[in-house]
């Protein structure tokens, strides 16, 4: 099933309530589901492709407010937290999730990409409200 943008695809996943991911193919946004007894749908029968965004995943509901990187790694399916520029976040660092976390599949690992925010606290790189590049010209 194709969607016009990631916001519409996310809404479809959240309403359905089943762990899923979004990915781009043929210039469109698609939704894939993880295998349950081999019944995954989407990219390569439920295997998320490189760059796919996890929308619902184990532990996503606990990632609200300010949480330590160690808690993200221990309490969710996220395997790695990186900071823009290629650094890996250390367990003691804090992430202000803003209630919106969309990790991506990178090299077969569910990875949360972050950036430095106010006071050195990390924030997810993908914000809930996206402003398209060059939207005003």
């Amino acid at each position: 099933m194709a969607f016009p943008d990631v916001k519409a695809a996310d809404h479809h996943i959240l309403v359905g309530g089943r762990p899923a991911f979004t990915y781009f193919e043929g210039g469109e946004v698609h939704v894939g589901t993880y295998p349950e007894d081999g019944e995954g749908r989407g990219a390569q029968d439920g295997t998320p492709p490189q760059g796919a965004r996890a929308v619902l995943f184990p532990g996503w509901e606990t990632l609200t407010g300010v949480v330590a990187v160690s808690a993200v790694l221990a309490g969710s399916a996220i395997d790695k937290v990186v900071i823009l520029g290629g650094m890996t976040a250390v367990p003691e660092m804090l992430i202000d999730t803003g209630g919106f976390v969309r990790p991506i599949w990178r090299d077969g690992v569910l990875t949360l990409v972050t950036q430095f925010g106010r006071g050195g606290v990390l924030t997810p790189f993908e914000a809930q409200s996206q402003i398209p590049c060059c939207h005003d010209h």
Side-chain angles (χ1 to χ4, degrees):
M1 179 178 279
F3 296 88
D5 55 39
V6 293
K7 187 174 182 177
D10 283 5
H11 177 74
H12 174 78
I13 293 169
L14 293 170
V15 168
R18 181 174 177 202
F21 55 90
T22 61
Y23 62 99
F24 293 93
E25 184 176 84
E28 297 178 314
V29 180
H30 296 267
V31 171
T33 56
Y34 300 102
E36 285 184 10
D37 300 326
E39 297 297 321
R41 294 179 300 145
Q44 300 172 11
D45 296 324
T47 302
Q50 179 82 350
R53 300 165 60 253
V55 178
L56 293 182
F57 52 91
W60 70 271
E61 67 280 352
T62 66
L63 302 179
T64 60
V66 178
V67 294
V69 168
S70 60
V72 170
L73 299 174
S76 76
I78 295 172
D79 298 307
K80 188 174 186 180
V81 178
V82 298
I83 305 166
L84 282 180
M87 297 181 290
T88 298
V90 296
E92 298 80 20
M93 296 178 105
L94 298 176
I95 303 172
D96 184 351
T97 69
F100 184 85
V101 177
R102 294 294 185 268
I104 60 170
W105 288 96
R106 182 182 282 176
D107 299 325
V109 175
L110 192 57
T111 304
L112 179 61
V113 179
T114 64
Q115 60 190 347
F116 283 107
R118 190 172 298 169
V121 174
L122 300 173
T123 61
F125 177 68
E126 183 180 342
Q128 187 168 13
S129 297
Q130 297 289 314
I131 298 172
C133 179
C134 305
H135 75 284
D136 58 352
H137 52 257

